[in-house]
Amino acid sequence: MELNTPLYNLSTFSEVYEPSEDTFLFVDALEADASFLLGLKPKVAIEVGSGSGVVMTSLAFLLKNSCSYFSTDINLQACCATKDTANLNGVSIECLNMDLLSGFKSNMFDIILFNPPYVVTDSSEVSGTGLNRAWAGGVNGREIIDKLLSNISEMLTDKGVCYLLLLKENNPQEVISIMSNLKFDFKLVIQRKVPGELLYIYKFFRKFKIWL
Amino acid sequence: MKLLTHNMLTSKCMKGVSVGYPLGINASDVRVSEVDFNPDFIARMIPKLDWAVLYNAAESIGQLEDLPKDLANNYENDQEFLKKVHHVLLEVDIINGELVCPETGRKFPINNGIPNMLLNEDEV
């Protein structure tokens, strides 16, 4: 299934990350996993750190009005940009100015999408609410990734899945092992070498179905 | 911000807050707009909702219309009922106002439909 690239216009948002190779790789991962996503029959999907909103809008193109769409960003401009992108493409996304998923009840999400700030930086760069929060990842580029993963299990529903973009320098094997300890299995959905970066998108899902 | 979103939000990540649910709503600007009705989606969504919280939220902003206080039996096939739920969940949008932590009274402003749930460092 081929998804159209969403329209966007960031001309009034100087502090929002312009869709780049990582963004389009994420859209390609959703496209590659389209039949799984449709079969999952998700009710609630969220993108953490949605920036321009291009990734979430692509998911909304795929799942249409069979699902509800949410996004968070620590940067208010990014929340506004996501809302504008959704409107421009005729989809509806509920945007919240929030740190990761901190304001949500547990067991809410069937799908969590996260294109994190993955660039290896000094810890001191992981501060404020500006454009730097789109890329500055601190030590190993993992500071924000690990913060989200620490309570990912309680945020996902039983059938919930998390799509996570990682850079080679983030040490994906270590992330897989953290998730394995949380009883999540993984699948590498897509990988791509772009100038200066080797990027992967992993899908994490629970190892065992919980039968009630 | 739609009432579906309100149904999912909590202030429990604040220091000293144990449940933080449901958040109070002060709405100064509410807009109602038509959204495509997908009865199957609404029927699948209902078991996930806190029904009493949805009912009280709709009532508190004067958007209850004739939503029943209790869930209908066999609501999956009750198009009229599903349409009412659809309206309250997805067509009512709080553009400006605030959400209020039930335990501390901390207010979270909503501007242009976007709630600001960010906390100061000394609040977490």
Side-chain angles (χ1 to χ4, degrees):
Chain A
M1 179 176 294
E2 201 163 315
L3 297 172
N4 289 329
T5 303
L7 305 169
Y8 60 92
N9 177 358
L10 301 180
S11 57
T12 57
F13 302 113
S14 59
E15 293 288 307
V16 176
Y17 184 74
E18 186 81 24
S20 305
E21 280 93 344
D22 53 312
T23 318
F24 298 117
L25 182 66
F26 217 117
V27 174
D28 290 350
L30 298 178
E31 208 173 88
D33 227 21
S35 56
F36 168 83
L37 287 163
L38 288 162
L40 186 67
K41 292 194 180 300
K43 295 188 273 281
V44 185
I46 193 161
E47 181 176 10
V48 179
S50 60
S52 64
V54 161
V55 172
M56 202 44 169
T57 299
S58 299
L59 185 69
F61 281 167
L62 176 66
L63 300 174
K64 307 197 168 64
N65 70 353
S66 69
C67 183
S68 56
Y69 307 97
F70 295 81
S71 73
T72 68
D73 208 294
I74 199 167
N75 174 352
L76 177 60
Q77 269 199 16
C79 300
C80 297
T82 295
K83 216 175 169 70
D84 279 9
T85 299
N87 290 338
L88 199 58
N89 292 282
V91 305
S92 175
I93 301 176
E94 284 283 276
C95 304
L96 299 109
N97 191 194
M98 183 187 288
D99 185 12
L100 303 176
L101 296 173
S102 57
F104 280 101
K105 285 168 67 180
S106 329
N107 301 313
M108 279 294 129
F109 302 108
D110 300 313
I111 299 176
I112 295 177
L113 308 179
F114 194 29
N115 180 359
Y118 57 71
V119 178
V120 178
T121 66
D122 199 80
S123 288
S124 62
E125 290 186 63
V126 187
S127 69
T129 58
L131 178 59
N132 62 307
R133 297 308 299 273
W135 50 266
V139 176
N140 296 329
R142 282 270 300 283
E143 292 188 25
I144 304 300
I145 293 168
D146 288 359
K147 192 173 164 191
L148 182 79
L149 295 185
S150 70
N151 71 343
I152 194 92
S153 184
E154 69 178 83
M155 300 314 295
L156 286 169
T157 58
D158 290 347
K159 69 174 182 184
V161 295
C162 174
Y163 290 80
L164 175 66
L165 185 144
L166 294 171
L167 177 74
K168 186 166 187 287
E169 287 77 1
N170 298 147
N171 195 352
Q173 286 308 321
E174 206 174 276
V175 173
I176 288 167
S177 143
I178 290 172
M179 291 303 285
S180 179
N181 288 335
L182 294 170
K183 303 196 162 43
F184 280 83
D185 223 329
F186 75 97
K187 184 187 165 206
L188 176 61
V189 181
I190 201 166
Q191 66 177 52
R192 187 171 295 163
K193 194 161 172 32
V194 303
E197 293 181 340
L198 183 50
L199 299 170
Y200 309 88
I201 294 184
Y202 287 93
K203 173 172 71 178
F204 293 98
F205 45 92
R206 293 186 203 276
K207 280 181 185 168
F208 305 105
K209 283 210 171 87
I210 299 168
W211 301 101
L212 296 174
Chain B
M1 188 207 73
K2 298 179 195 297
L3 293 184
L4 169 61
T5 306
H6 171 262
N7 213 266
M8 297 164 54
L9 291 175
T10 161
S11 55
K12 72 163 188 278
C13 65
M14 283 179 74
K15 193 161 61 184
V17 171
S18 55
V19 182
Y21 187 81
L23 300 173
I25 306 176
N26 297 324
S28 53
D29 181 8
V30 176
R31 198 178 299 159
V32 176
S33 53
E34 202 174 317
V35 173
D36 278 350
F37 176 46
N38 179 347
D40 171 63
F41 169 73
I42 299 296
R44 290 191 294 123
M45 201 64 207
I46 286 173
K48 214 178 158 76
L49 300 172
D50 187 318
W51 185 259
V53 167
L54 178 66
Y55 181 90
N56 291 333
E59 189 175 44
S60 78
I61 59 167
Q63 293 291 335
L64 197 53
E65 301 198 0
D66 52 356
L67 189 75
K69 194 170 177 80
D70 298 303
L71 266 179
N73 289 327
N74 301 318
Y75 59 76
E76 298 91 338
N77 303 314
D78 186 340
Q79 293 283 315
E80 206 179 315
F81 173 74
L82 294 176
K83 187 92 204 207
K84 288 175 191 168
V85 180
H86 164 79
H87 171 75
V88 169
L89 272 186
L90 301 180
E91 296 191 324
V92 175
D93 224 334
I94 300 169
I95 307 300
N96 293 299
E98 57 196 14
L99 297 168
V100 186
C101 168
E103 293 169 45
T104 63
R106 161 67 144 98
K107 294 184 168 74
F108 301 95
I110 304 169
N111 292 307
N112 299 315
I114 301 172
N116 176 350
M117 303 293 292
L118 293 178
L119 297 168
N120 300 321
E121 266 174 44
D122 59 356
E123 293 177 301
V124 291

